Amino acid sequence: MEINDIIEAISNLLDFELVDETDEKATFNIISDHNAVLYKQELSTLIDRVNALNSNENIELFDNQNYEVLVRNESRIAIRRELNQSDNVNNLEYTLNKPSDEYLIFLLYNLYQENTPNLLRRGIMGHRLRRIFEAQEGQQELFERSVLEVIKEIIPRLETIKIQSRANRKLDDYERFLYAFIFNLGYNIDMNIQPLRFIEEFTQPYRIGRIRRARTPDIEPPRRIYINDLVLHYQKAISSDSIDHQYLSYYHVLEYFFEKIYNDDVINTIRQELTKPNFSYKRQRDVKGLVGIIQKKLRYRNEEFSINELEALELTLKKYIVDLEDFSELLNEISPTLTEYYRENEVGFCQGLKVNFSNTNSEEVYRSLAKRIYRTRNAIVHSKENEKSKYVPFRNDRDLINELYLMRLIAETLILETSREL
């Protein structure tokens, strides 16, 4: 991490124009004729401090006596001032507030490495930029504003939890303290705080938005009508900040079709058997064979027939994702590494199968894809203590995040394929 890296990160992520640079400072234009500065000597000192700390997944910053992590506040309670708690028994101090300068440059640097231009600019409105300078309007400015302080003020809910300890602690200790602190906040004041576990969790929504993002006036009115239930599941997915909830909502879009598609397949299978030239209803062997097919397809449980969900999933994929090559190209538009990722990697926490979209055997692709999706879904839903294949919130989020791109694209394909012209 160098001084120029942070200067470029600020320009790239926030679209602040670098209007002047000397040996002492870099000056950025924030809005209109308002500027803010970054003093290079102070920045150099911050960089030295960050380099002396450890990082984990580019989101946690820590040493033996300090820990800081970016959090997402999903509650209706906004932090208006620093929330601070001291534990004099265990010699710990907890703080929920704007990030430290060290953490902010650490975050800016890592976001810049993710190649997400204007990522932080998107949530900033012009009035927020102007408001921070209003107190100085019409007056001679006595000091130059720090660009780091400006960033903290204008980005909504940019918050971290900091834990300081007088005794030396390990990372595992700090993470236990972290979850104890957020549980206390949730239990007592219904504050829903979620720590981020890796940098991609922050940048993930940008990857799809980068492809489709348009100015509101450029969006055309609807030309097609969609199935209402599917739209509701889709909206629930894209509005959730919880990765596992997103996955299950996309899965519900697929699940909507299971029963009809599976029952149609059962009927077609029976029809094929009945219309074979060698089938005779008078021959017991033929009738038993037909009964066996029905028993295999439909299982009687709890006084009702149940379908084979994995098979129903595979049939749904075959019906609506007709061109695997086109689907693979759409994945590559999101990220050129995705198809390679699915080809080379199982889903770590549930051994979801690898999927090679370039495989000329389409049956094998559909089969592997269905098993990858189904095993992942089961691991999220059935998280029993003694289960080997189970999803653990936060711990397994990194394995799950790439599955979201796959599920979102499948869900969108199904919604479009089952729509009709308006």
Side-chain angles (χ1 to χ4, degrees):
M1 185 189 303
E2 304 290 341
I3 289 175
N4 284 341
D5 293 328
I6 305 305
I7 292 174
E8 291 178 10
I10 292 171
S11 298
N12 183 281
L13 296 166
L14 291 133
D15 199 26
F16 291 166
E17 182 185 359
L18 179 64
V19 293
D20 186 44
E21 184 175 2
T22 66
D23 291 340
E24 295 181 355
K25 63 185 179 182
T27 304
F28 298 89
N29 178 247
I30 306 302
I31 190 170
S32 301
D33 58 345
H34 296 300
N35 296 333
V37 299
L38 186 65
Y39 288 103
K40 291 186 176 181
Q41 184 58 51
E42 292 179 8
L43 178 59
S44 179
T45 302
L46 290 173
I47 291 174
D48 289 342
R49 291 177 188 167
V50 172
N51 288 337
L53 297 170
N54 302 306
S55 67
N56 186 37
E57 301 291 357
N58 293 332
I59 203 72
E60 293 174 306
L61 196 60
F62 62 95
D63 63 12
N64 290 335
Q65 295 188 331
N66 300 276
Y67 175 89
E68 187 168 5
V69 65
L70 187 67
V71 297
R72 181 184 293 121
N73 186 347
E74 296 184 358
S75 63
R76 290 168 291 183
I77 302 173
I79 300 297
R80 300 187 182 278
R81 57 184 177 83
E82 178 179 272
L83 194 160
N84 184 276
Q85 292 183 343
S86 295
D87 178 354
N88 295 322
V89 175
N90 295 295
N91 296 319
L92 295 169
E93 184 169 339
Y94 301 87
T95 305
L96 173 60
N97 197 18
K98 297 292 184 181
S100 65
D101 287 344
E102 290 86 350
Y103 191 90
L104 182 56
I105 66 166
F106 167 75
L107 178 64
L108 291 172
Y109 176 78
N110 287 311
L111 290 176
Y112 179 54
Q113 299 304 307
E114 290 290 308
N115 189 26
T116 52
N118 294 337
L119 174 66
L120 298 179
R121 180 75 184 200
R122 290 181 298 147
I124 303 172
M125 300 299 180
H127 67 85
R128 293 181 69 93
L129 294 172
R130 294 187 185 91
R131 190 170 57 201
I132 65 171
F133 294 98
E134 283 180 356
Q136 295 176 338
E137 287 290 343
Q139 303 176 23
Q140 183 178 1
E141 296 186 1
L142 301 178
F143 57 89
E144 295 176 299
R145 276 192 172 272
S146 162
V147 72
L148 296 182
E149 292 304 316
V150 170
I151 291 171
K152 292 179 190 181
E153 288 184 57
I154 62 176
I155 297 179
R157 297 198 176 195
L158 183 64
E159 298 162 351
T160 63
I161 288 178
K162 294 182 281 290
I163 305 175
Q164 294 177 299
S165 170
R166 297 194 196 103
N168 289 340
R169 306 282 189 174
K170 296 180 180 179
L171 178 59
D172 288 347
D173 295 326
Y174 282 117
E175 291 186 341
R176 282 192 287 269
F177 300 150
L178 169 69
Y179 285 105
F181 181 55
I182 62 177
F183 178 76
N184 272 12
L185 295 178
Y187 184 87
N188 287 289
I189 57 175
D190 201 28
M191 182 178 284
N192 182 7
I193 301 291
Q194 292 191 16
L196 273 64
R197 308 314 305 166
F198 44 90
I199 197 68
E200 292 88 348
E201 196 173 352
F202 190 91
T203 60
Q204 180 259 338
Y206 181 80
R207 296 176 79 175
I208 290 179
R210 176 176 55 187
I211 300 168
R212 301 175 181 163
R213 193 167 306 284
R215 297 182 304 113
T216 305
D218 294 336
I219 300 175
E220 295 286 337
R223 306 297 186 200
R224 302 191 69 81
I225 292 294
Y226 309 97
I227 298 173
N228 291 353
D229 287 353
L230 303 188
V231 173
L232 293 175
H233 287 308
Y234 180 79
Q235 291 301 118
K236 184 176 181 181
I238 64 174
S239 66
S240 176
D241 286 321
S242 174
I243 293 177
D244 53 326
H245 289 170
Q246 289 181 52
Y247 190 94
L248 293 178
S249 294
Y250 290 135
Y251 186 86
H252 290 326
V253 173
L254 281 65
E255 194 175 34
Y256 179 88
F257 300 98
F258 285 1
E259 187 169 346
K260 183 180 187 307
I261 288 178
Y262 192 82
N263 288 339
D264 288 347
D265 183 70
V266 172
I267 292 170
N268 288 334
T269 301
I270 294 172
R271 183 180 289 116
Q272 288 175 6
E273 290 296 316
L274 289 173
T275 55
K276 285 182 178 178
N278 61 342
F279 179 85
S280 173
Y281 70 90
K282 294 182 179 180
R283 215 168 22 235
Q284 189 174 13
R285 182 188 62 188
D286 292 354
V287 175
K288 280 186 176 182
L290 187 61
V291 171
I293 291 172
I294 297 172
Q295 287 177 333
K296 184 179 178 181
K297 291 281 187 181
L298 298 174
R299 296 178 182 178
Y300 192 71
R301 292 177 181 172
N302 299 325
E303 298 184 353
E304 62 180 21
F305 287 103
S306 63
I307 66 174
N308 183 321
E309 190 164 334
L310 174 59
E311 189 177 345
L313 172 57
E314 184 177 341
L315 290 169
T316 300
L317 296 173
K318 287 179 179 178
K319 182 176 177 64
Y320 293 116
I321 304 178
V322 180
D323 194 323
L324 289 170
E325 185 176 348
D326 283 351
F327 184 80
S328 178
E329 290 178 1
L330 291 173
L331 283 172
N332 285 329
E333 288 180 10
I334 298 172
S335 172
T337 63
L338 279 180
T339 53
E340 179 184 357
Y341 175 84
Y342 300 132
R343 183 178 68 247
E344 301 295 332
N345 297 276
E346 293 183 340
V347 183
F349 57 86
C350 66
Q351 292 75 55
L353 268 59
K354 299 176 183 178
V355 181
N356 182 5
F357 286 100
S358 301
N359 192 336
T360 55
N361 184 345
S362 61
E363 290 293 321
E364 186 174 329
V365 177
Y366 288 118
R367 191 178 307 114
S368 300
L369 181 58
K371 288 182 178 179
R372 184 184 186 98
I373 293 170
Y374 192 61
R375 288 183 182 180
T376 303
R377 176 262 181 193
N378 286 349
I380 295 172
V381 173
H382 306 299
S383 294
K384 297 177 183 177
E385 184 177 358
N386 59 350
E387 288 276 358
K388 291 183 179 180
S389 297
K390 67 175 181 178
Y391 163 80
V392 180
F394 305 123
R395 184 190 303 170
N396 297 131
D397 281 357
R398 185 155 200 170
D399 288 331
L400 188 57
I401 199 163
N402 279 332
E403 307 309 308
L404 288 185
Y405 301 120
L406 179 64
M407 289 299 288
R408 175 168 178 165
L409 192 54
I410 292 174
E412 289 172 346
T413 301
L414 267 62
I415 292 171
L416 291 171
E417 289 294 322
T418 56
S419 63
R420 58 181 175 85
E421 188 175 345
L422 180 60

